[in-house]
Amino acid sequence: MAAAGAGRMRRATSALLLRAPRLPVRELSAPARLYHKKVVDHYENPRNVGSLDKTSKNVGTGLVGAPACGDVMKLQIQVDEKGKIVDARFKTFGCGSAIASSSLATEWVKGKTVEEALTIKNTDIAKELCLPPVKLHCSMLAEDAIKAALADFRLKQEPKKGEAEKK
Amino acid sequence: MLLRTSWRLMAAAAPAALWPRAKAPTRGLRLRVVDHAPQSAAPSDAATAPEAESVLRPLYMDVQATTPLDPRVLDAMLPYLVNYYGNPHSRTHAYGWESEAAMERARQQVASLIGADPREIIFTSGATESNNIAIKELEAAIQPDSSLVSVMTVNNEIGVKQPIAEIGHICSSRKVYFHTDAAQAVGKIPLDVNNMKIDLMSISGHKIYGPKGVGAIYIRRRPRVRVEALQSGGGQERGMRSGTVPTPLVVGLGAACEVAQQEMEYDHKRISKLAERLTRKIMKSLPDVVMNGDPEHHYPGCINLSFAYVEGESLLMALKDVALSSGSACTSASLEPSYVLRAIGTDEDLAHSSIRFGIGRFTTEEEVDYTVEKCIYHVKRLREMSPLWEMVQDGIDLKSIRWTQH
């Protein structure tokens, strides 16, 4: 182990002193130890950020979390007549893992039926993004967001009950 | 005896002549080599070298966490790491005498920075140990009605300066001991333990461009403040802190204090200018940015800003090429937002949105401009992704919404 370290030191020193001008220099990507590259990817290349028309009958909106907790997710789904989710959008106030979890959630619900979308579990999201234990609550909130959006959509489909729309 | 005294005089005279006023320090290497070879690979230079790639390290804007070593401090320390390696408590030979002389000289440098007598400075392993010694004094006190007031001089999260002189006068009139943790303040703002009536003060080496692993505690002699030693042993440092004093480290601390004394005014002016530049540029380009902490009683080098509707950790991730710190819950292991921000009454959602910018002796204008530019760009981008920002733009009052979680 010490030998490996010494070898690396030698390479580092020789690189800096002799070969630095020739080695390609690129900007440092996010601290490797803290953020998994999948999480960074979702932040740098966000999928499905935005909003759908909240008032439309085919759109279900789920808003979960609280600013006081540092995590708020809004997830919207657009469902066609056959019950398949054709579009999804999200907006998140939260850490990198929260953004990635909600972004992944919108990717996964697209193309699923409403029943299939209900089966998405937070553990799957966490495993896909390799979330550390301290960030598991982000994936749980994403699952809650999906369920809230689906519940809102269901509520809109029910025959008029004169009940105000739940946010 | 005569030999030792003459050694002391020689050693004291030497560095003053060798130490001219230094020019601006070098930037230091910012490249490092990223090794893509797996850990288990056999260490052979030729085979794995082509995979190594040189990457830029981030800009350093986290001086409240720690500071780089000032090159002048390293210059002062090196001889004591390589050549003058004697134990300063050895009384019988030149190696001990020269180390002891260096240690006493460092003690004088630390004392002169805070207006104390050198006999009142005890070297420790850092401000944390100094704080522990000071607080333990409370238990060691004989009088039943004695008590201790302990206040931080400059807060490390929001940079607020406490009214130390006023507190000191109140404590001395009520015969109460006054301790202050001056780790972030020593060498940055003028301190005088006699004018401010400070009885105990903690000093940290690595917060003032000195080495890590060393600090000091100031303990007033007149009137005498009694402290109980945390570690017992050979009785070094007047019995208050046993253990061999690490000569290279204390020489570094002393040098850092002397450099700080010389540079204090210039640094303060330069840092204030840079801090004003940073806050002005950010606040001009972004709405809904709050500076945490009293703007009047504030050390300029520590700027804590809350960017509403954007979460702190996501902004830190976005500002990947700047080393910063945040008061948000996600970045602390306990998922609780900063207790300091909560104590000053910051709204909880703003506490999750705070970023601390640290400007120090070696921060350049280009670094500040780059940080500001990136910060503005990413805050705008994250606000586009934020449901709270969208709601505010639509005219919804966030405080009126009943959230699902608490």
Side-chain angles (χ1 to χ4, degrees), chain B residues 126-163:
Chain B
T128 302
E129 188 187 337
S130 305
N131 286 338
N132 274 276
I133 294 176
I135 304 297
K136 208 148 185 288
E137 187 274 340
L138 179 64
E139 292 163 345
I142 308 162
Q143 294 87 353
D145 58 345
S146 63
S147 56
L148 174 74
V149 166
S150 176
V151 173
M152 223 183 208
T153 320
V154 169
N155 185 279
N156 58 327
E157 285 196 47
I158 54 181
V160 163
K161 294 197 296 207
Q162 301 297 340

Side-chain angles (χ1 to χ4, degrees), chain B residues 237-314:
Chain B
E237 295 294 279
R238 299 166 194 276
M240 296 200 222
R241 202 265 182 183
S242 296
T244 304
V245 171
T247 315
L249 292 178
V250 303
V251 165
L253 176 62
C257 287
E258 182 159 319
V259 169
Q261 201 165 14
Q262 290 168 351
E263 305 276 2
M264 202 188 309
E265 203 186 312
Y266 175 77
D267 276 352
H268 195 272
K269 251 194 282 200
R270 208 185 73 96
I271 289 174
S272 303
K273 228 169 48 147
L274 286 177
E276 194 264 332
R277 188 187 176 91
L278 186 141
T279 29
R280 183 176 34 93
K281 280 189 158 189
I282 288 183
M283 299 230 176
K284 197 170 64 170
S285 314
L286 292 172
D288 301 308
V289 177
V290 176
M291 182 160 113
N292 298 308
D294 187 327
E296 236 183 83
H297 304 283
H298 184 255
Y299 172 64
C302 174
I303 303 162
N304 192 303
L305 297 173
S306 276
F307 299 93
Y309 322 120
V310 170
E311 205 267 343
E313 204 223 20
S314 59

Side-chain angles (χ1 to χ4, degrees), chain B residues 23 55 65 79 101 168 177 185 195 235 286 298 333:
Chain B
K23 296 182 286 256
V55 295
Y177 293 117
N195 292 347
L286 292 172
H298 184 255

Side-chain angles (χ1 to χ4, degrees), chain B residues 14-53:
Chain B
L18 295 167
W19 213 354
R21 171 96 191 186
K23 296 182 286 256
T26 53
R27 297 295 318 140
L29 292 165
R30 278 191 56 233
L31 298 176
R32 69 175 177 90
V33 178
V34 172
D35 199 344
H36 293 301
Q39 294 280 79
S40 52
S44 98
D45 287 15
T48 50
E51 295 195 35
E53 189 184 343

Side-chain angles (χ1 to χ4, degrees), chain B residues 339-358:
Chain B
Y339 73 97
V340 173
L341 292 179
R342 202 183 318 141
I344 61 172
T346 310
D347 279 339
E348 277 195 314
D349 52 341
L350 280 182
H352 282 289
S353 313
S354 73
I355 301 280
R356 176 184 72 187
F357 298 88

